[in-house]
């Protein structure tokens, strides 16, 4: 175990992937010579030479070439600096990468990994603040993960790279540097998928992911002091989706809250709620509650962002209300 | 009779064997035979479409056959080829068996992709055909990736990506040109300029229709060639492939041609001017080449091709429909990922 | 009332918009000189001159220029030939158009209309078969409608054009020519929004949209013969979303089914289910049922497509099962 | 003292008044004053960012001021301007009040967009500033639309869109070039070539760094100019604007410059070679112009500018934070659409 930041854990995972698998490539804007705008890829170009390189600001070329290189046996790891920028080239993931294996009945595959990050940060503008995981989670053929901890930033990235299908790992930049955590670096690479109960509780199941995991955990502590015992599930992967863990928890708690930073309507929280309404309606003792950004664009000013984005206090209030329902 | 067998008619799965050949070693009659095979294949597809055996949009390459034939004579086995939805001829030129491509269009289990791809989006990697693409321009960046892989593997492969004139206005193609040139990738950008994008004349939506110039700002050598002459195409592609294999980066070839069967089957072609079709039909690759070939030779080749295509389409029609119970297979490598 | 196809109704709406509002423009690939690949824009270039024009195959330029022209007071109506192609230029709708009004506090606006169409048709390939309404419905700032009838193809398009915000009208090409319907052409233009009960029934509420409306209606008839009385709601607009009509119906039926052609996970059906699980859980007497394409790419062969896409028979079976729950 | 008042310091809301002026009518001292105003504005922004009053990514245009000043001297009121996230100077050159831009960055109700836009994505349509854009390249197609509107309205307006050197590799910019040229739109594509995109040298990701050539295949006249000289910029923009207004379509101007304050505040600029910053600082627009101006005049201008910026930033700091209760307003024109 080594103490490291989420960003350093990513770096370690990339280092391991490049070291262990000769067919990996790492590229994107600014990733090589200077190690990435967030430093996640620092030192890798020096260590791995031209397998790590900088690209022009051409997301279609980045993603498209990843598809082609993957078809020919490479295992490209490409960076889309902000998830918002994926929208200039979404075709290459949704129309191209996702189809390769299916349409060719496995004769061709596209085992590429996209690393990107998302979310609002104080001052970030409306074009750099979106949480777009729902777009990818709605795309059959893709694998979608959102690590919430340094350990998962490391492990899930490796799982994605090892995965034989196109995967997108959506990081959250508020997590990159904000603290260090002990990270185990040499465990075997796990297959993609699997949620995790990160706090046990008897009264409410909170399903959440990415940066909201910590807020939910903190809110659960507040709620505990008001007598509401909250179980928190870090969903980790949206595709494949581990409903088993969610439903097992719900069997115990009978109350469901989903928390995400994406805006509510059409967010992936809807899918969790829908699955429960379909497959486990009887388990529910109270209405499902989604805590999310209301349907709005995201303003830049921090105090305006705060008025929209669920805070720990906001989640705690909702938990207490749901617990007392 | 001089044809030396670009049609591997004796094999279990008849198709074209162009990659192993060299253009200069072939007679005009061989070139004719290869192009005719594609032509007759597509005419049969048209019948099947009009009969309702094939359904959906079908884009024929009729009139443009000299480009895939010429290009594949210049390529080697192992050189990946990426085409557009107008790709039957490209697959065949790569060597895809006629019956397997018929089968694909007919949704047969024996189709190259078991009916998953259909006319506009199939691949046949066993023959180096990395597939069609139904998103205009999307194949260009993908081919760059294949070239990146080839470069890394030092495989000596040259990658060919084909797209239409209209595709040159798609941003992804510009990005691919710069990307390939910046990384000196072994890729050949081949633009089939048939002057039209669906119903629209290229000249109506560009300030200049000299598309080969589009590589200029990226220092990509560009040529405009007669795309209705297979030898000319082969020469240009061979030069570009040499450049690619030598590590000198991408090339852009603008092959001037005409499609003489509409954008897709069912296109009324109202956009044609008076006499336009007659004019272009008089110069299409088969007509042009046939002019100097003995009638008896032509007859023999035509007979052989017709026979093969009848056999291939019949065998495809007789094959089983793709197994619908497997329709959800192959979404992921691992069944556990379907959840 | 005039008998016309869905495609002709679109043409009539465009004709009216161009005729009545001088600030409208109509452009896209193949739309002008030859009236569009589906003939929806036939005759309009002749009638309205250079306000109707053909563009290069440049979706970013088409959508981006629509944003800019709209900011400067025009009311562009642009065509994206297949919704799948929107993915090469989604930035211009999600990062650009949707932000214009909000970020400028209304000093700038982007009243553009995108016409596009979607869905599978026998033989259509995986890159021409997607149903992507969920992407747009998840985007605050956009207006999203899916007309199911010729009358709505006309009316909703006009509502979208008259709307002062960016709107996308998602047509379905299986509806363009398959029949004629009487269409009223001169009614006042309604504001966007509003679902419609298209069949009354007491036992189950089916919420559906676009081409699935007719299948659901036909399935409802079959179910009726088995004693299940189905109410069918044509949702029409996903954004704004008329939950009032849905909940009123559910108050009567207590059973909810959502039917859509998009693949299930993350489809907009999840949102309907989630809203009910949040706001009207007590109304439900049975689990919610989503009938949708399973998470798959779409194969080209018609018999394979049929194995995935809900048919009338399939919906009817589900209705009977849900009715008997 | 020769300055004739590009700083409208007496108005209620001080800002730059460039659009009404003509470059030739101005003295060097006026140009100095205008560029200095932007410089001092941004230096104050840097202080506010480092103090934590402004938060988030802030991209300064320090070193590039001659481009917005020159360009706006060549434009007329009513000519829409679209910039990138590096846009403070562009807004100011358009005439946005200093205090309102400070206010925007500070999240004040008085900010041009009440804090919704922030440093990287604000607009000020009242001054013809149609806004920044934080998606690389996205402003180019949008500007084409503005030009389409201007053309239809026969307003005689020329539209200016600004982007960086790195943006030239974004597909949407290529699409915009073709679109504008095909439609002969009155738009000026102005590329601020500061040789870097974030941490990456342009030269490392393009086969040729002669970006003005990128318009060639579209027959768009392209020039490379000294972007550190406001008069040169003004002349090039004036020529392009004349072409636009005459109905002769778009132009591409590549203005060579250097940013001397990093990609954003906090950039460690490790990518600089030894002596690089010193070299470029010796030729930055203010230093260059100051060389031939009397010290006393410079002092006076500097004093006036400093005073104005202090006043403007103070008034912004004293203004109320944007009203958070209105945070959901303006998503749609019609409240009923929020459902
Ligand atoms: C991104 C995208 N936009 C639009 C289309 C619709 N479309 C299919 S083929 C075509 C015309 C392409 O013309 P060209 O590139 O000249 O090729 P050709 O069909 O003439 O071979 C268009 C517009 C598409 N498939 N993808
Ligand atoms: C589509 C897209 N890709 C990537 C980015 C991230 N990004 C922001 S600024 C920038 C560099 C742009 O460089 P250049 O165009 O030269 O402009 P400069 O910053 O030098 O003014 C990049 C890559 C983005 N904002 N949008
Ligand atoms: Mg063409
Ligand atoms: Mg730059």
């Amino acid at each position: 175990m080594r103490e490291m930041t989420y960003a350093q854990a990513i770096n370690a995972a990339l280092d391991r992937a490049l070291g262990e698998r000769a067919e990996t490539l790492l590229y994107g804007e600014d990733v090589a010579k200077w190690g990435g705008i967030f430093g996640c890829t620092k030192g890798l170009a020096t260590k791995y030479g031209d397998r790590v390189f900088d690209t022009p600001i051409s997301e279609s070329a980045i993603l498209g070439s990843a598809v082609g290189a993957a078809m020919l046996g490479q295992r490209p790891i490409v960076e889309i600096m902000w998830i918002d920028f994926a929208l200039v080239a979404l075709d290459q993931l949704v129309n191209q990468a996702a189809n390769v294996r299916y349409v060719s009945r496995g004769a061709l595959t596209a085992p590429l990994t996209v690393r990107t990050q998302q979310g609002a940060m104080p001052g970030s503008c409306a074009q750099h603040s979106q949480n777009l995981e729902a777009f990818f989670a709605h795309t059959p053929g893709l694998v979608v993960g959102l690590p919430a901890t340094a350990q998962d930033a490391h492990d899930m990235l490796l799982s994605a790279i090892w995965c034989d299908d196109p995967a997108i790992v959506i990081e959250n930049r508020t997590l990159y540097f904000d603290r260090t955590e002990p990270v185990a670096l040499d465990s075997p690479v796990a297959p993609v998928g699997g949620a995790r109960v990160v706090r046990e509780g008897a009264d409410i199941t909170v399903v959440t992911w990415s940066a909201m995991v910590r807020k939910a955990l903190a809110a659960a502590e507040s709620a505990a002091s008001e007598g509401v015992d909250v179980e928190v599930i870090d969903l980790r992967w949206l595709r494949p989706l581990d409903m088993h863990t969610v439903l097992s928890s719900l069997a115990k708690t009978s109350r469901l809250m989903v928390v995400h930073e994406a805006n509510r309507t059409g967010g992936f929280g809807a899918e969790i709620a829908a699955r429960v309404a379909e497959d486990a309606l009887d388990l529910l003792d109270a209405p499902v509650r989604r805590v999310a950004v209301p349907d709005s664009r995201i303003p830049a000013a921090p105090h305006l962002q705060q008025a929209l984005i669920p805070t720990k206090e906001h989640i705690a209030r909702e938990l207490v209300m749901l617990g007392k329902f | 009779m001089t044809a030396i067998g670009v049609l591997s008619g004796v094999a279990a799965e008849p198709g074209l064997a162009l990659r192993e050949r060299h253009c200069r070693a072939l007679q005009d009659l061989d070139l004719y035979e290869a192009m005719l095979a594609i032509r007759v294949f597509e005419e049969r597809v048209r019948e099947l479409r009009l009969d309702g055996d094939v359904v959906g949009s079908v884009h024929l390459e009729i009139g443009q056959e000299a480009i895939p034939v010429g290009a594949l004579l210049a390529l080697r086995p192992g050189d990946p080829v990426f085409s557009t939805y107008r790709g039957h001829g490209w697959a065949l030129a790569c060597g895809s068996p006629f019956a397997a491509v018929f089968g694909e269009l007919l949704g047969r289990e024996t189709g190259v992709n078991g009916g998953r791809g259909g006319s506009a989006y199939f691949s046949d990697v066993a023959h180096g055909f990395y597939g069609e693409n139904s998103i205009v321009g999307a194949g260009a960046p993908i081919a760059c990736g294949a070239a990146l892989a080839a470069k890394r593997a030092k495989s000596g492969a040259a990658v060919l990506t084909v797209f239409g004139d209209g595709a040159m206005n798609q941003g992804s193609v510009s990005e691919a040109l710069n990307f390939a040139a910046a990384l000196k990738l072994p890729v050949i950008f081949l633009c089939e300029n048939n002057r039209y994008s669906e119903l629209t004349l290229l000249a109506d939506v560009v300030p200049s229709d000299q598309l080969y110039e589009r590589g200029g700002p990226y220092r990509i050598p560009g040529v405009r060639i007669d795309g209705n002459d297979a030898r000319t195409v082969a020469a240009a592609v061979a030069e570009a492939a040499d450049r690619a294999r030598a590590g000198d980066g991408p090339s852009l070839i603008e092959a001037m041609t005409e499609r003489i069967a509409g954008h897709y089957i069912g296109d009324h072609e109202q956009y044609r001017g008076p006499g336009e079709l007659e004019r272009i039909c008089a110069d299409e690759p088969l007509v042009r080449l046939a002019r100097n070939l003995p009638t008896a030779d032509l007859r023999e080749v035509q007979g052989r091709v017709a026979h093969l295509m009848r056999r291939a389409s019949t065998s495809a029609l007789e094959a089983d429909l793709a197994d619908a119970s497997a329709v959800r297979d192959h979404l992921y490598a691992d069944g556990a990922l379907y959840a």
Side-chain angles (χ1 to χ4, degrees), chain A, chain B:
Chain A
M1 302 286 258
R2 265 179 46 203
E3 276 293 320
M4 48 176 69
T5 63
Y6 187 98
Q8 287 167 331
I10 292 164
N11 187 273
L14 293 170
D15 193 357
R16 177 163 165 196
L18 288 159
E20 291 187 14
R21 303 201 64 156
E23 72 274 31
T24 50
L25 285 174
L26 175 67
Y27 59 96
E29 295 155 18
D30 300 313
V31 302
K33 210 160 169 182
W34 301 103
I37 202 87
F38 301 108
C40 294
T41 51
K42 216 169 249 171
L44 300 172
T46 315
K47 191 156 172 190
Y48 297 103
D50 63 4
R51 285 169 60 204
V52 180
F53 59 90
D54 291 315
T55 67
I57 309 175
S58 304
E59 281 78 6
S60 293
I62 294 169
L63 292 174
S65 64
V67 175
M71 285 166 113
L72 272 279
Q74 302 293 309
R75 206 163 269 262
I77 308 159
V78 293
E79 180 175 314
I80 297 295
M81 203 183 282
W82 250 258
I83 203 166
D84 314 72
F85 313 156
L87 301 185
V88 302
L90 203 55
D91 166 60
Q92 289 292 350
L93 291 176
V94 175
N95 293 334
Q96 309 295 338
N99 275 320
V100 171
R101 176 188 294 279
Y102 179 81
V103 171
S104 69
R105 290 188 298 182
L108 285 166
T109 63
L112 61 92
T113 300
V114 179
R115 272 189 59 237
T116 189
Q117 58 78 27
Q118 70 176 11
M121 225 175 153
S124 61
C125 81
Q127 297 174 324
H128 281 60
S129 297
Q130 295 170 99
N131 289 270
L132 297 177
E133 66 269 20
F135 285 21
F136 300 93
H138 185 41
T139 306
L142 299 184
V143 165
V144 185
L146 298 99
T149 64
Q151 185 70 60
D152 267 353
H154 175 269
D155 294 352
M156 291 173 63
L157 180 53
L158 286 174
S159 299
I161 297 168
W162 260 238
C163 171
D164 291 329
D165 285 298
I168 177 163
V169 178
I170 306 173
E171 301 158 4
N172 182 294
R173 76 185 171 292
T174 66
L175 304 178
Y176 280 144
F177 312 112
D178 70 334
R179 68 177 189 197
T180 61
E181 299 170 37
V183 178
L185 297 178
D186 301 311
S187 323
V189 175
V192 299
R196 182 182 296 134
V197 176
V198 291
R199 183 185 199 281
E200 301 208 354
D203 298 336
I204 299 178
T205 298
V206 171
V207 176
T208 187
W209 51 89
S210 191
M212 284 290 161
V213 172
R214 275 199 232 163
K215 287 196 192 179
L217 282 170
E221 294 307 319
S222 307
S225 70
E226 303 206 35
V228 180
D229 187 19
V230 177
E231 179 142 314
V232 178
I233 295 178
D234 176 357
L235 197 57
R236 302 174 73 240
W237 301 92
L238 307 191
R239 182 170 276 280
L241 176 59
D242 174 9
M243 281 305 291
H244 178 74
T245 298
V246 175
L247 296 182
S248 304
S249 171
L250 205 56
K252 184 170 62 171
T253 63
S254 305
R255 282 174 166 73
L256 175 66
M257 180 181 290
V258 192
V259 181
H260 58 62
E261 192 186 315
N263 63 286
R264 181 190 325 269
T265 302
F268 200 72
E271 182 62 29
I272 305 299
R275 297 261 185 140
V276 169
E278 284 188 314
D279 301 332
L281 189 69
D282 285 349
L283 295 181
L284 289 177
D285 276 353
V288 172
R289 186 83 189 106
R290 285 184 291 170
V291 176
V293 167
D295 284 356
S296 175
R297 309 309 305 174
I298 303 298
H303 72 287
L304 296 177
Q305 295 181 336
Q306 277 228 335
L308 291 171
I309 301 172
T311 57
K312 178 187 100 182
E313 291 72 27
H314 177 176
I315 302 168
R317 260 195 320 275
E318 294 281 350
L319 283 170
V320 172
M321 266 164 55
L322 183 57
K324 307 219 156 128
F325 182 88
Chain B
M1 165 53 198
T2 52
I4 57 168
V6 288
L7 277 173
S8 50
V10 285
E13 289 208 291
L16 287 170
L18 299 176
R19 284 185 186 267
E20 295 79 16
R21 310 267 174 224
H22 193 287
C23 193
R24 263 168 295 166
L26 294 184
Q27 312 282 328
D28 280 358
L29 193 60
D30 298 306
L31 295 176
Y32 182 84
E33 185 177 62
M35 297 192 297
L36 185 70
I38 296 175
R39 173 75 53 94
V40 175
F41 176 93
E42 289 207 306
E43 285 171 342
R44 183 76 188 103
V45 167
R46 177 156 51 190
E47 287 168 13
L48 292 167
R49 175 69 184 79
L50 296 175
D51 288 351
D53 293 305
V54 168
V55 297
S57 285
V58 175
H59 311 82
L60 301 176
E61 173 121 303
I62 290 181
Q64 306 186 183
E65 297 89 345
I67 308 178
V69 167
L72 269 293
L73 284 167
L75 293 184
R76 294 190 197 150
D79 288 339
V81 172
F82 294 82
S83 86
T84 68
Y85 44 86
R86 201 178 298 291
H88 308 155
W90 285 97
L92 298 182
C94 282
S96 293
F98 304 126
V101 181
F102 276 129
E104 182 59 27
L105 275 58
L106 290 161
R108 295 315 201 255
E109 189 67 35
T110 54
V112 279
N113 299 149
R116 270 63 169 181
S119 167
Y121 186 40
F122 70 82
S123 58
D124 179 10
V125 65
H127 293 89
F129 182 60
Y130 279 75
E132 301 189 292
N133 208 308
S134 276
I135 302 297
V136 166
I142 297 176
C144 289
L148 193 58
K151 191 173 175 179
R152 268 210 69 205
K154 298 198 173 52
S155 69
V159 178
L160 181 73
T161 177
V162 187
F163 43 77
D165 45 284
M168 294 270 2
N169 301 323
Q170 184 66 217
S172 58
V173 174
S174 299
E175 290 193 8
L177 291 173
N178 180 63
F179 190 83
L183 274 72
K184 281 203 181 258
L185 297 177
V187 58
I188 305 164
F189 297 102
L190 175 49
C191 176
E192 298 178 304
N193 186 346
N194 59 16
R195 296 189 301 121
Y196 285 94
S197 304
E198 299 196 336
L199 318 175
T200 299
L201 260 180
L202 175 73
D204 287 348
V205 293
V206 290
S208 156
D209 62 3
Q210 308 288 304
L211 298 179
Y212 69 98
E213 295 180 4
R214 295 274 177 107
Y218 312 106
R219 304 288 183 265
I220 298 178
V223 285
R224 175 180 267 210
I225 62 166
D226 177 358
N228 282 1
D229 182 72
R231 291 190 194 281
T232 304
V233 174
V237 172
E239 190 184 323
D242 285 348
R243 188 176 295 125
R245 297 190 218 283
D248 294 333
S251 310
L252 173 60
I253 300 169
E254 181 187 13
M256 302 306 295
T257 186
E258 299 281 352
R259 59 163 160 74
I260 57 183
H263 174 67
Y264 50 68
I265 297 175
D267 180 356
H268 300 305
E269 299 185 70
Q270 293 171 302
Y271 46 78
R272 300 284 189 192
E276 180 177 328
L277 258 182
E278 291 69 26
R279 198 183 69 250
I280 63 186
C281 284
D283 195 41
E284 57 101 336
L286 284 171
V287 165
R288 217 204 262 182
L289 206 55
R291 261 184 216 124
N292 303 315
L293 290 171
T295 313
D297 287 1
L298 290 172
R299 287 258 163 75
E300 193 195 322
V301 166
Q302 287 160 358
R304 189 165 58 232
V305 167
H307 170 71
L308 264 176
M309 288 309 156
R310 257 195 314 275
R311 228 180 50 192
S313 62
T314 303
S315 94
L317 280 164
E318 284 168 355
D320 288 338
L321 280 178
D323 176 8
S325 74
V327 68
R328 296 192 60 195
D329 292 357
H330 298 297
L331 183 63
Y332 294 103
D334 175 355
L337 270 60
Y338 281 77

